[in-house]
Amino acid sequence: MTAPFWVLLILLLSTLPAGPVFAEKVKLDSSHWGHEAGEDCVSCHSKSSAGLASQWRESAHAEAGVNCMDCHQADRADVDAIEHEGQIIATIVSPQDCGRCHEKELAEQQGSVHAEAFAIIEDRLPALADNVGGPAMRAASCDQCHGSRVKVKGDGSLDAATWPNSGIGRINPDGSKGSCSSCHGRHRFSKAQAREPAACVRCHSGPDSPDKEVFEASKHGMIYAAQREDMNLDAPEWVAGRDYTAAPTCVTCHMGGAGKLPPSHDVGMRNVWNLNAPVSERQYLVVFEDGVKMELPESAEVPKRGSELVRPDGSSGTVKVVATPKRRRQAMSMVCLECHSKGFTQGFMDQFDSVVELFNSKFALPAREIMDALYREELLTPTPFDEPIEFTYWELWHDEGARARHGAAMMSPNHAWWEGMYVVGRSFYARFLPEARAVAGAKSPVLVDAVLAEDAAHQWLRDPGQSSPILGFGHEESH
Amino acid sequence: MTAPFWVLLILLLSTLPAGPVFAEKVKLDSSHWGHEAGEDCVSCHSKSSAGLASQWRESAHAEAGVNCMDCHQADRADVDAIEHEGQIIATIVSPQDCGRCHEKELAEQQGSVHAEAFAIIEDRLPALADNVGGPAMRAASCDQCHGSRVKVKGDGSLDAATWPNSGIGRINPDGSKGSCSSCHGRHRFSKAQAREPAACVRCHSGPDSPDKEVFEASKHGMIYAAQREDMNLDAPEWVAGRDYTAAPTCVTCHMGGAGKLPPSHDVGMRNVWNLNAPVSERQYLVVFEDGVKMELPESAEVPKRGSELVRPDGSSGTVKVVATPKRRRQAMSMVCLECHSKGFTQGFMDQFDSVVELFNSKFALPAREIMDALYREELLTPTPFDEPIEFTYWELWHDEGARARHGAAMMSPNHAWWEGMYVVGRSFYARFLPEARAVAGAKSPVLVDAVLAEDAAHQWLRDPGQSSPILGFGHEESH
Amino acid sequence: MTAPFWVLLILLLSTLPAGPVFAEKVKLDSSHWGHEAGEDCVSCHSKSSAGLASQWRESAHAEAGVNCMDCHQADRADVDAIEHEGQIIATIVSPQDCGRCHEKELAEQQGSVHAEAFAIIEDRLPALADNVGGPAMRAASCDQCHGSRVKVKGDGSLDAATWPNSGIGRINPDGSKGSCSSCHGRHRFSKAQAREPAACVRCHSGPDSPDKEVFEASKHGMIYAAQREDMNLDAPEWVAGRDYTAAPTCVTCHMGGAGKLPPSHDVGMRNVWNLNAPVSERQYLVVFEDGVKMELPESAEVPKRGSELVRPDGSSGTVKVVATPKRRRQAMSMVCLECHSKGFTQGFMDQFDSVVELFNSKFALPAREIMDALYREELLTPTPFDEPIEFTYWELWHDEGARARHGAAMMSPNHAWWEGMYVVGRSFYARFLPEARAVAGAKSPVLVDAVLAEDAAHQWLRDPGQSSPILGFGHEESH
């Protein structure tokens, strides 16, 4: 490493967002803590919904004298303000609210891939959630991870179609994005709990992002399971290599401090690749002067510091700092290096990159090229998911290809191969190509097979002479 | 809530079944405990199968002076009585045996969906277990969860085709139903162990009832994983909101005490919906004077207290009490309310109900109507599973639809959507409908497509103009 | 049991392999321990990659005074020797290195199915890993479990295409096979950690060998989850029935001591069946005088003690001892018997064997016969995986059939049935047979259907009169 990268990382995160002013509400200064009405809340909630109060009693908030009203107090003008037992409160405590004290964490979280989780999928929802499922699904499924756009009813109560919700990219009534309680369960808001692998499982599991399953089937997960007691999970600070070395959890690599690498609530900052894309690309992370962040593919022109750039939402911003893919990889490697040698770390990263590049070149790009051609030739309607091949293609990159890439990223050979690239290969050769040929009909040689002819990786298909005992055949075995 | 519902719940469970009399055997009165031969059992089993004795030594039974013979003692006339080291014993200790002391638990368990688990599937077994699999499968698969009909051989030993078995609806040699050791592992019979989520995993996991996976991927599971130490799992009583508030486990919501809601070994009592049905219906729970219980769909005529009703087994019974779907929902909500507000609880229930209703109306009812038509027109044989579409239809409701419904019921967005309704939609549009059209041939417009035309939810299929970036296409992305 | 079988088991393992001599390196004699340069390693690695040193500090090695150099010291002539901070070391510490002290464990491990894990799949790799996936996949997938053939570059460093790797059958630069750190995580090398079920999960999970999932969904897993604290996992010795009785883990049954049964690092010795084969067979374990081991199907001629036999690699060996399937079953049953009765144990084994035999006779043998015919008639090319039916057939035995067999072997009814034999039946009837008929065309009656006609188990297909409520139909339910 040429320069102390962690200095850059701190720079990256030093912009505090300019949010609305919340006069008379709790602030970082501890003299603000301990709203006089707080005792009444606790007293009543020791009988009604007693769990709320007892979880709070175990929290650092309780210990510091921060009470219910300190967080839930609202202004009468707030769109979601309600009167409750004589107090004006809001049900939702947004990141903006938490950020009155937790300034650094808010600054890091805003603009992160977590905070933007709803924005990222919003344009997919009509075709996928609504057509394939149904609008009634959103509340219990997509929104629970990605966040809902919370709707406040006339009386200040929250619309059940959008709440309860603790999705990580929730659009809150105050306009802020995200939900701290997504990871730090209410009302204990425990650091230790959020450092557990289980903290991420609700969203990072399943066919498209099986990070729970990948971790459990990795050596990291194997050691964690055995030595959780040595992980010092409830330490005030939790720096890998200093406060614990038994094993990493999700937080360790993606958010945690490690040696001189500072911790950050921007969970995507250390990720080089966009793994959940049809074709993965290495990405620049662009941070603007106003705190907004943006991912840019490596193939794009590199933005210069101080230049103006138009952002996805149409606004324009001044580039403050850019983290190149190389820098992001260095940051992630700093975590690995707390327990592994340079050769080990580099070797692992090479193995991971090779899987992503193989997926791209052998499967993702040809499949996209074929799909493009079928749409262009109007052999498929433009509507997504009204033809079976569209599901096959979607699952090829969104699920099967994601599993291969996540498996390689976090060292589960089962996911890299059996749940990942093996299924990609099977789906590509035994489902996608036959379906594409059926759609293309007489145009198959041009629209489908010509695409494969370009790549030596598919040459084995045209060389059908080799036998192998792989299927359980051969004179010895089958007779 | 209009009246103290827990009073009704206690009423619901106050009927002790009139079982056979077991003279001279252990009873609730502690003067019966400590059979004189018990020491000999323990002495020998400290060498042979030593685990049996050492697990017992850790048990509340050992502490109270209840020994091996107190439970295993049999009458010579019992069909499964064997002589073992000079004593007449039975290998199986049935719920009827346990109920000599654990009267309340037996009364609750008898007639519950757990106790009836074998009866529920018995008529499915020939077509499914035997044809699709093979009769030899039953012992190691269906029977291990649902219970076997235990067969005693001439010498009093148990037929390996039916035992070992601890299925929850086992038909025991004494005629009683169930197996306490299904949840309370032999021979420790630990309360704490049965309160763990792991207690339910053996049966409540997998493609058709992934409750283990759903719980692990819910916020409840996330908190449990981090704060198991705070769960007070080995408390004598275990009332949510009083003895613990960190998180719920399966037992908490489905069986446990919560506030004033009494605990119960009738695991299905608080469930409004039959989620594992082709089409879900809200259900009445009818309890008869003789302790028998019966589920009735909301669409049926509501039985009145004191009326006579014919039951599935042909017998007639006098209705003692009926729990309406609304009452059952109130009972379940009483658990939620120990930690959540009324608005939160109601909002969650609305989100859950919406998913069930969407599944019913958009997929389950049309699919059933189409299948009905294909059978009626003799386009399919009456034999189940001899045509591929029958597997597609079966998995649509039994597996994929069940996952969507269970996922929504217990807050795993991954199961509600990616493992659930997304797969339902894909299977319905890309597999079931094409297969149905192929079977229907020229009759497709009437037998298949006319069914969909009735529902606006499928209108998007006939409006193929909308494009979307969902599949990874568009000028920006694909070039 | 007729004779003390554990005497035979000890005999089986008494051959120490004749490996190369490592002069001046650490040996079992403790006077060799504590290389003088070791302190320097620890001092520097307390700053750089600090986790290495801190994990070592917690280890039994540290306690005994065995340091970094004692294990990593190399001879300049070693192919993978590198100079590092003035010392000649090798990055990889092979089983041969560990075996200088851990002689017994090495003797057991060599020749085991674990040590041979790379050899077992080597001839499958071109068709499966390279064609279906791509050569770049090997490092991150197959090799991570089965082991890589480690390639040393000219400068002594390790090729990233083959390392980092801790696959259990790794071919090390010194020619030895395996990787102790596959189960005993570096650099703590904890016994307790390797006794956890999690130790095996990295490789024994997923569609083809879901042993993690099976265990978690078994009664053994249920009890383990609740009573891990009682498992005495860090005991110096860990003999089931003596040091713990709460529950077994993977190690308990497959490697652990139990009563008089000695522990062994030959993980496959107690397995009667080859469950991961197209058709399972009971197997002899043949141990040669030179320590080599070989599995032979029960259908082969039984080798006699002292006879000469040609081995898979072409070499010849003198048979030292043969463990018959019956003896292997006895060994495994000795574990069961520590907690279960003879009747229970035998009944369980019968249930398990029945599932394997059903899979063989009803599905595996007919499917193989049909595939054989399709190849013989040149209706399929000899190249594996270039036709869709080859994936269907592969998954039938390699994945679905494996799940059924593993599920029955370790008591997960979900895997035995829903993830296993149900899927086998569905795939066989609704996918494999239709695909085979399509390939066979006019020859179907002879090549496909005649095969099924031989077996009464498929008779139900030709008797399509029976109806059943299984699919959710019938007058009551559908109207």
Side-chain angles (χ1 to χ4, degrees):
Chain A
M1 206 166 303
T2 56
F5 182 48
W6 52 276
V7 172
L8 173 66
L9 290 173
I10 289 169
L11 261 176
L12 261 172
L13 298 166
S14 62
T15 310
L16 296 187
V21 180
F22 293 86
E24 296 174 340
K25 290 186 184 171
V26 74
K27 287 185 183 157
L28 187 51
D29 175 355
S30 62
S31 68
H32 288 251
W33 305 351
H35 191 287
E36 56 199 10
E39 282 303 308
D40 297 340
C41 308
V42 172
S43 168
C44 188
H45 277 294
S46 298
K47 291 167 214 140
S48 175
S49 305
L52 300 181
S54 69
Q55 287 156 7
W56 169 80
R57 260 185 226 103
E58 301 291 323
S59 72
H61 284 153
E63 200 176 337
V66 174
N67 66 34
C68 313
M69 282 301 292
D70 289 330
C71 302
H72 282 281
Q73 184 190 10
D75 290 332
R76 209 172 272 275
D78 291 345
V79 61
D80 59 338
I82 55 172
E83 192 174 323
H84 176 72
E85 304 291 336
Q87 297 292 334
I88 305 298
I89 65 163
T91 300
I92 289 181
V93 178
S94 77
Q96 199 74 54
D97 295 327
C98 301
R100 296 199 304 260
C101 291
H102 301 278
E103 296 180 334
K104 174 174 173 292
E105 288 74 17
L106 174 62
E108 294 162 353
Q109 179 263 358
Q110 290 295 300
S112 71
V113 66
H114 267 169
E116 299 297 324
F118 178 78
I120 287 168
I121 64 153
E122 191 166 15
D123 62 0
R124 292 183 182 176
L125 289 172
L128 186 54
D130 298 351
N131 289 354
V132 176
M137 281 309 295
R138 290 193 185 193
S141 59
C142 325
D143 288 359
Q144 287 300 326
C145 285
H146 288 272
S148 60
R149 186 182 288 283
V150 178
K151 191 176 160 193
V152 183
K153 293 193 288 191
D155 62 355
S157 70
L158 306 174
D159 188 333
T162 66
W163 191 84
N165 184 279
S166 55
I168 198 106
R170 187 179 65 197
I171 312 294
N172 298 298
D174 66 9
S176 68
K177 293 178 176 177
S179 165
C180 303
S181 71
S182 193
C183 309
H184 299 273
R186 285 187 308 269
H187 284 94
R188 191 156 171 172
F189 299 105
S190 158
K191 280 181 173 180
Q193 176 254 304
R195 290 164 179 164
E196 298 269 0
C200 312
V201 164
R202 192 167 56 107
C203 300
H204 292 275
S205 61
D208 64 324
S209 54
D211 305 310
K212 167 199 193 281
E213 298 89 341
V214 165
F215 179 77
E216 288 184 354
S218 74
K219 288 194 82 168
H220 289 157
M222 149 184 149
I223 307 288
Y224 164 80
Q227 291 169 5
R228 176 175 175 249
E229 289 81 359
D230 302 332
M231 295 285 288
N232 206 10
L233 284 160
D234 52 5
E237 290 194 300
W238 199 59
V239 177
R242 188 192 75 186
D243 299 314
Y244 65 105
T245 54
T249 71
C250 314
V251 160
T252 303
C253 302
H254 292 282
M255 303 175 69
K260 291 187 173 171
L261 182 74
S264 168
H265 273 66
D266 182 344
V267 74
M269 197 171 56
R270 302 172 190 169
N271 289 341
V272 169
W273 293 98
N274 60 344
L275 292 187
N276 287 76
V279 178
S280 290
E281 292 195 88
R282 290 181 174 87
Q283 293 189 305
Y284 292 98
L285 176 63
V286 183
V287 183
F288 294 91
E289 291 288 352
D290 59 2
V292 171
K293 296 170 192 162
M294 186 169 78
E295 298 277 356
L296 270 187
E298 196 182 36
S299 58
E301 203 180 340
V302 196
K304 293 207 174 79
R305 282 196 192 198
S307 65
E308 291 290 309
L309 220 60
V310 178
R311 303 181 288 206
D313 67 355
S315 69
S316 177
T318 307
V319 174
K320 180 181 170 194
V321 66
V322 177
T324 62
K326 188 179 167 190
R327 286 296 202 184
R328 301 173 89 169
R329 173 60 55 86
Q330 283 174 336
M332 183 65 88
S333 297
M334 284 176 75
V335 186
C336 309
L337 289 167
E338 285 302 308
C339 289
H340 297 286
S341 70
K342 282 183 192 170
F344 187 102
T345 302
Q346 187 58 51
F348 161 71
M349 293 294 183
D350 286 354
Q351 294 181 0
F352 163 39
D353 291 346
S354 295
V355 170
V356 180
E357 286 158 359
L358 173 70
F359 173 74
N360 278 351
S361 67
K362 184 166 177 182
F363 301 109
L365 285 166
R368 191 166 75 174
E369 190 174 337
I370 290 167
M371 288 297 282
D372 263 341
L374 299 179
Y375 284 111
R376 197 177 52 237
E377 299 281 325
E378 297 186 359
L379 296 162
L380 295 173
T381 70
T383 304
F385 299 121
D386 65 336
E387 284 124 342
I389 195 175
E390 296 174 304
F391 286 100
T392 308
Y393 175 70
W394 167 258
E395 294 182 11
L396 190 74
W397 71 261
H398 183 267
D399 294 344
E400 301 154 4
R403 294 199 295 267
R405 290 174 280 178
H406 284 241
M410 298 192 296
M411 295 181 297
S412 164
N414 173 54
H415 291 85
W417 180 246
W418 288 121
E419 313 257 14
M421 204 68 90
Y422 165 76
V423 188
V424 168
R426 179 197 67 185
S427 292
F428 186 81
Y429 289 122
R431 299 184 186 171
F432 178 74
L433 291 180
E435 289 172 14
R437 289 190 190 105
V439 170
K443 292 183 179 173
S444 276
V446 176
L447 302 184
V448 180
D449 294 293
V451 174
L452 302 185
E454 298 162 13
D455 192 343
H458 301 293
Q459 184 59 36
W460 68 276
L461 281 176
R462 292 178 295 277
D463 180 25
Q466 52 176 310
S467 186
S468 148
I470 183 68
L471 290 172
F473 291 103
H475 285 291
E476 298 73 40
E477 284 199 36
S478 60
H479 295 291
Chain B
M1 205 165 304
T2 57
F5 183 46
W6 52 276
V7 172
L8 173 66
L9 290 172
I10 288 169
L11 261 176
L12 260 173
L13 298 166
S14 62
T15 311
L16 296 186
V21 180
F22 294 86
E24 295 174 339
K25 290 185 184 172
V26 74
K27 287 184 183 155
L28 186 51
D29 175 355
S30 63
S31 68
H32 287 250
W33 305 351
H35 191 287
E36 56 199 10
E39 283 302 309
D40 297 340
C41 308
V42 172
S43 167
C44 187
H45 276 294
S46 297
K47 291 168 214 138
S48 175
S49 305
L52 300 181
S54 70
Q55 287 157 8
W56 169 79
R57 259 185 227 103
E58 301 291 322
S59 72
H61 284 154
E63 200 175 338
V66 174
N67 67 33
C68 311
M69 282 300 293
D70 288 331
C71 303
H72 281 281
Q73 185 190 8
D75 289 332
R76 211 172 271 278
D78 291 346
V79 61
D80 59 338
I82 54 171
E83 194 175 320
H84 176 72
E85 304 290 337
Q87 297 293 334
I88 304 298
I89 65 163
T91 300
I92 289 179
V93 177
S94 77
Q96 199 73 56
D97 295 328
C98 301
R100 295 198 306 259
C101 291
H102 300 278
E103 296 180 335
K104 174 175 173 292
E105 289 74 16
L106 174 63
E108 294 162 353
Q109 178 262 358
Q110 291 294 300
S112 72
V113 66
H114 268 169
E116 299 298 324
F118 179 78
I120 287 168
I121 63 153
E122 192 165 14
D123 62 359
R124 291 183 182 175
L125 289 172
L128 186 55
D130 298 352
N131 290 354
V132 176
M137 281 310 294
R138 290 193 185 193
S141 61
C142 326
D143 289 359
Q144 287 300 326
C145 286
H146 287 272
S148 59
R149 185 183 288 283
V150 178
K151 192 178 160 192
V152 184
K153 294 194 286 190
D155 62 355
S157 69
L158 306 173
D159 188 332
T162 65
W163 192 84
N165 184 278
S166 55
I168 198 107
R170 187 178 65 196
I171 313 294
N172 297 298
D174 66 9
S176 68
K177 292 178 177 177
S179 165
C180 302
S181 71
S182 194
C183 309
H184 299 274
R186 286 187 307 269
H187 284 93
R188 190 157 171 172
F189 299 104
S190 159
K191 280 180 173 181
Q193 176 252 305
R195 289 164 179 163
E196 298 269 1
C200 311
V201 165
R202 192 166 57 106
C203 300
H204 292 276
S205 61
D208 63 325
S209 53
D211 304 310
K212 167 198 194 280
E213 298 88 341
V214 165
F215 179 78
E216 287 184 354
S218 74
K219 287 195 82 169
H220 289 157
M222 149 184 148
I223 307 289
Y224 165 79
Q227 291 169 5
R228 176 177 175 246
E229 289 81 0
D230 302 332
M231 294 284 289
N232 206 11
L233 285 160
D234 53 5
E237 290 193 300
W238 199 59
V239 177
R242 189 192 74 187
D243 299 314
Y244 66 105
T245 54
T249 70
C250 313
V251 159
T252 302
C253 303
H254 292 282
M255 303 175 69
K260 291 186 173 173
L261 182 73
S264 168
H265 273 67
D266 182 344
V267 74
M269 196 172 57
R270 302 173 191 169
N271 290 341
V272 169
W273 294 98
N274 60 344
L275 293 187
N276 286 77
V279 178
S280 290
E281 292 195 88
R282 290 182 176 87
Q283 294 190 305
Y284 292 98
L285 176 63
V286 182
V287 183
F288 294 90
E289 292 288 351
D290 58 2
V292 172
K293 295 170 192 162
M294 187 169 77
E295 298 277 356
L296 271 186
E298 196 181 37
S299 57
E301 203 181 340
V302 196
K304 294 207 174 80
R305 283 196 193 199
S307 65
E308 292 289 308
L309 221 59
V310 178
R311 303 182 289 208
D313 68 355
S315 69
S316 179
T318 307
V319 174
K320 181 182 169 193
V321 68
V322 177
T324 63
K326 187 180 167 190
R327 286 297 202 184
R328 300 174 89 169
R329 173 61 55 87
Q330 283 175 336
M332 182 65 89
S333 298
M334 285 176 75
V335 185
C336 310
L337 289 166
E338 286 302 309
C339 289
H340 297 286
S341 70
K342 281 183 193 171
F344 187 102
T345 302
Q346 187 57 50
F348 160 72
M349 293 295 183
D350 286 353
Q351 295 182 358
F352 163 40
D353 290 346
S354 296
V355 170
V356 179
E357 285 157 0
L358 174 70
F359 173 74
N360 278 350
S361 66
K362 184 165 177 182
F363 302 108
L365 286 166
R368 192 166 74 175
E369 190 174 336
I370 290 167
M371 287 297 282
D372 263 342
L374 299 179
Y375 285 110
R376 197 178 53 238
E377 299 281 324
E378 297 187 357
L379 295 163
L380 295 173
T381 70
T383 304
F385 300 121
D386 64 336
E387 283 124 343
I389 195 175
E390 295 174 304
F391 286 100
T392 307
Y393 175 70
W394 167 258
E395 293 182 12
L396 189 75
W397 70 262
H398 183 267
D399 295 343
E400 301 153 5
R403 294 198 296 267
R405 290 174 279 178
H406 284 241
M410 299 191 296
M411 295 180 297
S412 164
N414 173 54
H415 290 85
W417 180 246
W418 289 121
E419 313 256 15
M421 204 68 90
Y422 165 77
V423 188
V424 168
R426 179 197 67 185
S427 292
F428 186 81
Y429 289 122
R431 298 184 188 170
F432 178 74
L433 290 181
E435 291 172 14
R437 289 190 190 107
V439 170
K443 293 182 178 174
S444 275
V446 176
L447 302 185
V448 179
D449 293 293
V451 174
L452 302 186
E454 297 162 14
D455 191 344
H458 303 292
Q459 184 58 36
W460 68 276
L461 281 176
R462 291 178 295 278
D463 181 24
Q466 52 176 309
S467 187
S468 151
I470 183 69
L471 291 172
F473 292 102
H475 284 291
E476 297 73 40
E477 283 198 37
S478 61
H479 295 290
Chain C
M1 204 166 303
T2 57
F5 181 47
W6 51 276
V7 172
L8 173 66
L9 290 172
I10 288 169
L11 261 176
L12 260 173
L13 297 166
S14 62
T15 311
L16 295 187
V21 180
F22 292 87
E24 296 173 341
K25 290 185 183 172
V26 73
K27 288 185 183 157
L28 186 51
D29 175 355
S30 63
S31 68
H32 288 251
W33 304 352
H35 191 287
E36 58 198 9
E39 283 303 309
D40 297 341
C41 308
V42 172
S43 167
C44 187
H45 276 295
S46 298
K47 290 166 215 141
S48 174
S49 304
L52 301 181
S54 70
Q55 287 157 7
W56 169 79
R57 259 185 227 104
E58 300 292 321
S59 72
H61 284 154
E63 200 176 337
V66 175
N67 67 33
C68 311
M69 281 301 292
D70 288 331
C71 303
H72 281 282
Q73 185 189 8
D75 289 332
R76 210 172 272 277
D78 291 346
V79 61
D80 59 339
I82 55 172
E83 193 174 321
H84 177 71
E85 303 291 336
Q87 297 293 333
I88 304 298
I89 64 162
T91 300
I92 289 180
V93 177
S94 77
Q96 198 74 52
D97 295 327
C98 301
R100 295 197 306 258
C101 291
H102 300 278
E103 295 180 336
K104 174 174 173 293
E105 289 74 15
L106 175 62
E108 294 162 354
Q109 179 264 356
Q110 291 294 301
S112 72
V113 67
H114 266 170
E116 299 298 323
F118 178 78
I120 288 168
I121 63 153
E122 191 166 15
D123 62 0
R124 292 183 182 175
L125 289 172
L128 186 54
D130 298 351
N131 289 354
V132 176
M137 280 310 293
R138 290 193 185 193
S141 60
C142 326
D143 289 0
Q144 287 300 326
C145 286
H146 287 272
S148 60
R149 186 182 288 282
V150 179
K151 191 176 161 193
V152 183
K153 293 194 286 191
D155 63 354
S157 70
L158 306 174
D159 188 332
T162 65
W163 191 85
N165 184 279
S166 55
I168 198 107
R170 188 179 65 197
I171 312 294
N172 297 298
D174 65 9
S176 68
K177 293 178 177 176
S179 164
C180 302
S181 72
S182 194
C183 309
H184 299 274
R186 286 187 308 269
H187 284 94
R188 191 157 171 172
F189 298 105
S190 158
K191 280 180 173 181
Q193 177 253 303
R195 290 165 179 163
E196 298 269 1
C200 311
V201 164
R202 193 167 56 107
C203 300
H204 291 276
S205 61
D208 64 325
S209 53
D211 304 311
K212 167 197 194 282
E213 298 88 341
V214 165
F215 179 77
E216 287 184 354
S218 73
K219 287 195 82 168
H220 289 156
M222 148 185 149
I223 307 288
Y224 164 80
Q227 291 168 5
R228 176 175 175 247
E229 290 79 0
D230 302 332
M231 294 285 288
N232 206 11
L233 284 160
D234 53 5
E237 290 193 299
W238 199 59
V239 177
R242 187 192 75 186
D243 299 313
Y244 66 106
T245 54
T249 71
C250 313
V251 159
T252 303
C253 302
H254 292 282
M255 303 176 68
K260 290 187 172 171
L261 182 74
S264 169
H265 273 66
D266 182 345
V267 73
M269 197 171 57
R270 301 172 190 168
N271 290 342
V272 169
W273 294 97
N274 59 344
L275 292 186
N276 287 77
V279 178
S280 290
E281 293 194 88
R282 290 182 175 88
Q283 294 190 305
Y284 292 98
L285 176 62
V286 182
V287 183
F288 293 92
E289 292 288 351
D290 58 2
V292 172
K293 295 169 192 164
M294 187 168 78
E295 298 277 355
L296 271 187
E298 196 182 36
S299 58
E301 204 181 340
V302 196
K304 293 207 175 79
R305 282 196 192 198
S307 65
E308 292 289 309
L309 220 60
V310 178
R311 302 181 290 207
D313 67 354
S315 70
S316 179
T318 307
V319 174
K320 181 181 170 196
V321 67
V322 177
T324 63
K326 188 179 167 189
R327 286 296 202 184
R328 301 174 88 168
R329 173 59 56 85
Q330 283 175 336
M332 182 66 89
S333 297
M334 285 176 75
V335 185
C336 310
L337 289 166
E338 286 302 308
C339 290
H340 297 287
S341 70
K342 282 183 192 171
F344 187 102
T345 302
Q346 186 59 49
F348 161 71
M349 293 295 183
D350 287 353
Q351 294 181 0
F352 164 39
D353 291 347
S354 295
V355 170
V356 179
E357 286 158 359
L358 174 70
F359 173 74
N360 278 350
S361 67
K362 184 167 176 181
F363 301 108
L365 286 166
R368 192 165 75 175
E369 191 175 335
I370 290 166
M371 288 296 283
D372 263 341
L374 298 179
Y375 285 110
R376 198 177 52 237
E377 300 281 324
E378 298 186 357
L379 295 163
L380 295 173
T381 70
T383 304
F385 300 120
D386 64 336
E387 283 124 342
I389 195 175
E390 295 173 305
F391 285 100
T392 308
Y393 175 70
W394 166 259
E395 293 181 13
L396 189 75
W397 71 261
H398 183 267
D399 295 344
E400 301 154 4
R403 293 198 295 268
R405 290 173 280 178
H406 284 241
M410 298 191 296
M411 295 181 297
S412 163
N414 173 54
H415 290 85
W417 180 246
W418 288 121
E419 313 257 15
M421 204 69 89
Y422 165 76
V423 188
V424 167
R426 179 198 67 185
S427 293
F428 185 81
Y429 289 123
R431 299 183 187 170
F432 178 74
L433 291 180
E435 290 172 14
R437 289 190 189 105
V439 170
K443 293 182 178 174
S444 275
V446 177
L447 303 184
V448 180
D449 294 293
V451 174
L452 302 186
E454 298 162 13
D455 191 343
H458 302 293
Q459 184 60 35
W460 68 276
L461 282 176
R462 291 178 296 278
D463 181 24
Q466 52 176 310
S467 187
S468 149
I470 183 68
L471 290 172
F473 292 102
H475 285 292
E476 297 74 40
E477 284 199 37
S478 60
H479 295 290

